[in-house]
Amino acid sequence: MVTQEQIWQWLESVSDPEVPVLSILDLGIVRDVLVSEARRAEIKITPTYSGCPAMGAISLAIKMELLSRGLEEVVVTEVLSPAWTTDWMTETGKQKLREYGITPPQYRSDAQPMEHVVPCPICQSTDTRLISQFGSTSCKALYQCRECLEPFDYFKCH
């Protein structure tokens, strides 16, 4: 019998196709894992954005990973409510983003409004400027550091 714990462990190897350094568990998009029979599982996921183009690839990657582990049927269900928030990202995932050159979200979505400072992931300077509200994907913004002059993505809070 395959257990929920095994499936959670296996999902750690499923990467986000838009930010391959992150697993789908790092992103916090896996909402639930249900095992209804010995070889059948349903995985519930929440997209980072409604209409996120990566969800089809993520669903396929989940199915391929779990089928390769011996499951006979895998159903992936998108759950839109509650909406995903960057609060669901793991601290390990945020550290992986920094090491990859992407600044992770800088505050919790439930925090009081505050001045928005986006540090450079390369030199850690806070002297940065927004270039575009949309970076390489819709969940990121494009910034540039005024110290090292490097452009970088910022994973937007929401």
Side-chain angles (χ1 to χ4, degrees), residues 7 14 20 22 31 51 72-73 75 78 89 98 111 113 125 140 142 148:
I7 292 174
V14 178
L22 295 180
R31 304 309 321 140
E72 293 174 1
E73 184 180 357
V75 175
E78 283 191 29
M89 292 179 75
R98 277 185 210 92
S125 171
K140 294 183 289 232
L142 182 61
C148 70

Side-chain angles (χ1 to χ4, degrees), residues 5-158:
E5 293 79 23
Q6 286 175 307
I7 292 174
W8 280 101
Q9 289 174 350
W10 296 338
L11 291 174
E12 183 62 45
S13 66
V14 178
S15 296
D16 174 25
E18 294 179 337
V19 187
V21 71
L22 295 180
S23 76
I24 59 174
L25 298 183
D26 291 328
L27 272 175
I29 65 170
V30 179
R31 304 309 321 140
D32 203 1
V33 171
L34 305 171
V35 180
S36 60
E37 297 172 17
R39 299 268 177 226
R40 183 184 186 285
E42 179 182 8
I43 312 303
K44 295 184 178 186
I45 58 176
T46 298
T48 57
Y49 277 87
S50 292
C52 173
M55 295 311 290
I58 290 171
S59 293
L60 182 59
I62 290 170
K63 289 176 184 178
M64 290 175 57
E65 178 65 28
L66 298 184
L67 291 171
S68 76
R69 301 284 187 153
L71 272 73
E72 293 174 1
E73 184 180 357
V74 178
V75 175
V76 179
T77 305
E78 283 191 29
V79 178
L80 301 179
S81 181
W84 180 84
T85 169
T86 50
D87 297 344
W88 295 353
M89 292 179 75
T90 66
E91 289 305 314
T92 300
K94 292 175 185 176
Q95 183 59 37
K96 288 177 182 178
L97 282 175
R98 277 185 210 92
E99 292 168 0
Y100 193 63
I102 298 172
T103 300
Q106 294 301 297
Y107 59 91
R108 294 180 52 87
S109 64
D110 59 357
Q112 293 295 321
M114 59 186 213
E115 186 175 327
H116 194 63
V117 176
V118 177
C120 174
I122 299 159
C123 72
Q124 287 69 53
S125 171
T126 55
D127 187 10
T128 61
R129 68 182 181 98
L130 175 67
I131 294 172
S132 173
Q133 284 291 346
F134 296 97
S136 58
T137 63
S138 58
C139 58
K140 294 183 289 232
L142 182 61
Y143 275 75
Q144 182 179 32
C145 179
R146 290 186 174 115
E147 291 292 319
C148 70
L149 304 178
E150 289 294 322
F152 63 93
D153 277 333
Y154 167 61
F155 206 106
K156 297 184 274 191
C157 296
H158 62 282

